Amino acid sequence: MHRLESLVESLLFVSETPLSLDRLCSLLEEFDRAAIREALDRLLERYGGEGRGIVLAEVGGGFQFRTPAGNGDVIRRLTKARPARFSQSALETLAIIAYRQPVTRAEIEYLRGVDSGGVLKTLLEKKLIKILGKRDIPGKPLIYGTTREFLELFALKDLKSLPSLKEIRELSETAVFEQQEELPLAAPPEEGREQ
């Protein structure tokens, strides 16, 4: 392993947040950008294969070591962490914001058909959404967008990584549900005949 590759690997390992190529370049200013990118590409190749305990993923505009989703149950035994759980209303609101941002509360509530103030407050507290500013219309309503933490939580490189509506439709159309056979009802006893 080259010295630069080792340095990049160490920085990615100790960082709590994804590191962008620009950030790596500023931390490793004695190396040129092309060399750092090559080291990253080699690490992506090394840690991209199946069957590894850690993978190097491009998420949230940067690179970060992560554990494969399939190992989550065992890892939670060690960390005692609970997986992130979201209510249906939180997921609906997040989806609206992710696909329609920048979006106002009124637009979210119009699409959902219910008040979303509490859900927005919770998502702001969890740092999954942020206030981007105010819309230049009467009343100057706040406009919302997703955060880097949103991208990290859902393992997205950027917002373009979200599935398209066409892909979502195709997934729902190809879903195969197990069907149960209907059991025949017992025939009613015939009159005059004992069972």
Side-chain angles (χ1 to χ4, degrees):
M1 181 185 294
H2 298 97
R3 169 104 174 110
L4 175 57
E5 197 172 323
S6 173
L7 292 171
V8 170
E9 185 177 34
S10 294
L11 288 170
L12 292 170
F13 181 76
V14 298
S15 178
E16 293 179 10
T17 60
L19 295 176
S20 67
L21 180 59
D22 290 340
R23 180 73 174 126
L24 285 168
C25 289
S26 70
L27 293 168
L28 300 166
E29 56 191 27
E30 63 271 25
F31 298 95
D32 72 356
R33 186 178 188 87
I36 294 170
R37 182 66 224 197
E38 285 177 27
L40 256 175
D41 289 340
R42 286 193 298 274
L43 289 170
L44 283 165
E45 189 176 316
R46 178 176 299 135
Y47 290 102
E50 291 184 32
R52 299 211 56 126
I54 57 172
V55 294
L56 183 56
E58 193 170 353
V59 294
F63 300 87
Q64 184 178 43
F65 279 115
R66 297 185 146 217
T67 56
N71 294 358
D73 291 339
V74 174
I75 292 167
R76 278 187 286 281
R77 291 180 201 164
L78 173 68
T79 62
K80 306 282 192 253
R82 294 185 336 213
R85 299 209 188 275
F86 295 97
S87 66
Q88 183 71 30
S89 58
L91 287 173
E92 287 173 2
T93 304
L94 262 177
I96 291 167
I97 294 170
Y99 281 97
R100 307 273 308 236
Q101 63 187 307
V103 64
T104 66
R105 176 178 170 177
E107 293 167 327
I108 295 166
E109 290 174 349
Y110 173 78
L111 291 169
R112 290 194 61 230
V114 294
D115 178 66
S116 299
V119 175
L120 288 171
K121 182 178 184 248
T122 301
L123 295 173
L124 283 165
E125 288 170 355
K126 291 184 177 189
K127 295 183 170 76
L128 296 175
I129 63 169
K130 63 184 174 185
I131 297 170
L132 300 174
K134 294 183 178 189
R135 181 139 304 148
D136 194 19
I137 58 174
K140 305 268 189 209
L142 297 174
I143 52 176
Y144 299 93
T146 56
T147 62
R148 183 173 168 172
E149 287 85 350
F150 167 81
L151 296 173
E152 289 176 29
L153 180 67
F154 291 98
L156 298 168
K157 176 181 172 183
D158 52 31
L159 289 173
K160 293 175 189 158
S161 303
L162 285 168
S164 69
L165 296 178
K166 180 182 176 189
E167 291 170 327
I168 292 170
R169 224 176 280 115
E170 287 172 359
L171 280 174
S172 66
E173 289 171 1
T174 60
V176 179
F177 296 98
E178 209 176 286
Q179 293 194 2
Q180 292 182 337
E181 286 186 36
E182 197 172 308
L183 297 175
L185 295 173
E190 292 178 26
E191 286 185 38
R193 194 171 139 199
E194 291 194 24
Q195 292 279 359

